[in-house]
Every structure is written in C-alpha cells, then in structure tokens.
Amino acid sequence: MLNSKGKYVFSRSMLAVWAGGYILVGISSTLVAVSQGWLRFANDADEKPAVEDGSNDTESSEMTDAEMHKLLEDQVDVIDAKLPRMTDAELLQSTAARECLDNPDEWKRVPFFWPRSDIKRKSAFVPGTMYAENKLSVEPVVFMNRDRKQFVVITHIGKEMCGHDDIVHGGVQATLFDEITARPAFWNLPRNVALTASLKIAYHKPAIADQIFVFRTHLAKMEGRKAEIAAQLEDSQGNLLSEAEALYISPKNATLVQDQTSQVEKIENVFPGNF
C-alpha cells in the first residue's frame, strides 16, 4: 500500500504472507525436481571409492578364489621380504648349542613347545601369543642333560617384546623364566606335574632385543612334592643379564592336573639322542 508520501510500505502480516508463499513455492519445486530425478541427495552408501581399472565395487567384489589366493600370497611375500626370518639353524650355531651338540652322551635335544598340535598351542600364551615375528620368531632350542636336572634353552627375542626402546620387557623375561624353570621341575616331581608356587627375579643388565639369548636352568633342591629351581639369562656373549629362583609343587589333588608321566617319553622321542 502507499503511504501519505506516495511510497510503498508493507505491514508485517503482508510480509509474512509473501514469505510463506515463497517457502511453499521452493518446497514444491524441490519435490518436483526429486520426483523427476533432476535432484538427488547423496549419502555415504552412494560414495563408492573408485578402483584403478574404473570398475565399480560390485565388479571388484567378483574376485575369483584363485585371484584372492594370489592376492593374499603377494601380500605375504611383501611382508616376508620386509621381515627377517630367524630359523632354528641359526640358534643351533650358537656357542651354547654347539657345546651341547658336541657332547651327545651328556646332552639331548627336546622340543620347547608341547603339545605339538598347532590347535592346542594357539590357546597357550607362550606358544600361541608370544610365538610370532619380531617376538619369539622361532621355536626355542632346548637341550636336557642325562640326569634330567639341567636344561639349556636358546632363543631369539625380537623388538616387539620391549618395554623401554630396544630393551626386552622385564615381564617377558619373567614369563620365559616361568616357562623354562618348569622343565627340571616337570621332569623330576611326582607324576611329572609342576605348578608354579613362587618366582623371584633379579635383573642385572638390560637385555637388548633382537638377538639370541641363552637360559640355563637346573634343579637346585627337591623335597617330596616341592622342587627349587635356579636359572639365569645370558646374552650370546655369555654376559649375565638376570637370574631367577622358582618353587614348584606337585599338588596332592591328583584330579587338579592329570598325570603327565606318559608325556615324558613322547617328548623325549621327538628328537633322536644317545639316552
């Protein structure tokens, strides 16, 4: 409408009516555009990544089993090329191993992992979780002396077993001490059953990762169902890094852990020897 000066003026009600009309027109236009396919709203599912050959995800997902197997093999080859492989042959070349191999009437090799079944081993902490590249990258080599009271264990500990940079975690050493000191206890306690009662460790020097280490353990004392075990960890040059004292017990309750006597012969027959 015109005011007294001849200029157009608009009341609030008129502005509201016009604004509402424009909004309705805009909504109607948008709905028409969508219904005709002129306008569409994008979502995450629509945003498919492009592949090198220009095909879409549906086509790329139609990979044959042979192609998938080849792809996985190629990926493994790339990983293997980047990660150095440790073998037990290298462990057997260590000074500690040669000393045992050169005296076959006193020392015999026995397996570190038992049982040998991969399925059962995967459920165990050391052979399952710790046995991997850059951790325990190869099964440790174990030698047992004739009276079954001394054991030498040669192993490689990788860089993914560290606490401080490049230093083997003290907890990793403790775990391996627990695993290794059990051997003379297992072979000598009643029913060949040994459960850890206590474990004491003294750390003397940092154990630098990614090298060969030697654990030496022996039965220090045994009384009835109790066995006291001593052990030490050395680097490949024979430097003392840490020591352990462990107490093992064969439980009175025979049903707690089944008799392992039948396993001893199986374990000792894995590798040939003079005794």
Side-chain angles (χ1 to χ4, degrees):
M1 64 179 62
L2 295 174
N3 61 12
S4 58
K5 296 182 179 181
K7 294 183 178 180
Y8 284 98
V9 293
F10 302 93
S11 66
R12 291 183 179 180
S13 59
M14 291 177 64
L15 290 173
V17 171
W18 287 352
Y22 279 114
I23 292 173
L24 289 174
V25 170
I27 293 174
S28 299
S29 301
T30 301
L31 292 175
V32 171
V34 171
S35 66
Q36 296 298 319
W38 302 334
L39 177 67
R40 60 190 295 269
F41 297 97
N43 55 40
D44 292 340
D46 294 326
E47 297 177 0
K48 297 181 178 180
V51 292
E52 291 181 359
D53 62 358
S55 61
N56 59 28
D57 282 348
T58 302
E59 294 172 340
S60 64
S61 65
E62 295 176 355
M63 183 179 291
T64 65
D65 290 343
E67 291 172 332
M68 179 62 73
H69 184 71
K70 179 64 168 59
L71 177 62
L72 293 174
E73 282 187 336
D74 291 343
Q75 291 175 342
V76 170
D77 289 342
V78 171
I79 294 173
D80 286 347
K82 294 180 179 179
L83 297 175
R85 287 281 184 178
M86 172 67 65
T87 66
D88 64 352
E90 294 176 72
L91 300 183
L92 290 169
Q93 291 301 315
S94 65
T95 301
R98 295 309 313 172
E99 290 174 349
C100 295
L101 291 170
D102 291 342
N103 195 0
D105 290 333
E106 274 302 313
W107 294 94
K108 170 184 171 62
R109 187 177 176 185
V110 293
F112 183 81
F113 294 145
W114 191 264
R116 306 300 288 174
S117 167
D118 288 339
I119 295 177
K120 291 184 178 180
R121 279 167 48 180
K122 287 181 179 178
S123 65
F125 180 58
V126 174
T129 302
M130 294 178 68
Y131 182 42
E133 280 296 330
N134 288 321
K135 296 180 181 178
L136 294 183
S137 54
V138 63
E139 179 176 354
V141 170
V142 184
F143 291 96
M144 172 185 69
N145 79 330
R146 180 177 286 275
D147 65 6
R148 278 80 170 172
K149 294 181 179 179
Q150 299 179 59
F151 288 77
V152 175
V153 180
I154 302 105
T155 187
H156 178 272
I157 303 177
K159 290 189 174 182
E160 292 184 11
M161 304 291 269
C162 297
H164 295 288
D165 291 346
D166 299 323
I167 298 176
V168 177
H169 195 290
V172 171
Q173 295 184 52
T175 299
L176 292 175
F177 268 127
D178 184 37
E179 189 81 7
I180 291 167
T181 55
R183 278 154 175 73
F186 170 78
W187 251 269
N188 290 276
L189 282 172
R191 301 185 302 111
N192 297 111
V193 175
L195 301 182
T196 310
S198 66
L199 178 65
K200 179 182 178 181
I201 301 173
Y203 300 96
H204 300 298
K205 294 181 180 180
I208 306 303
D210 199 22
Q211 65 169 308
I212 293 174
F213 295 92
V214 179
F215 287 86
R216 301 180 188 274
T217 183
H218 67 275
L219 176 65
K221 181 180 180 182
M222 192 171 83
E223 293 182 357
R225 297 182 298 106
K226 298 181 181 181
E228 296 179 10
I229 312 297
Q232 62 187 47
L233 171 63
E234 305 170 356
D235 61 19
S236 56
Q237 288 74 46
N239 298 309
L240 179 64
L241 304 176
S242 54
E243 295 178 284
E245 296 176 359
L247 175 64
Y248 286 87
I249 296 177
S250 181
K252 289 182 180 179
N253 186 356
T255 62
L256 184 62
V257 180
Q258 67 178 7
D259 192 305
Q260 299 293 307
T261 305
S262 61
Q263 299 295 322
V264 173
E265 184 176 352
K266 293 179 182 179
I267 294 173
E268 292 195 10
N269 287 336
V270 172
F271 296 105
N274 293 352
F275 57 89

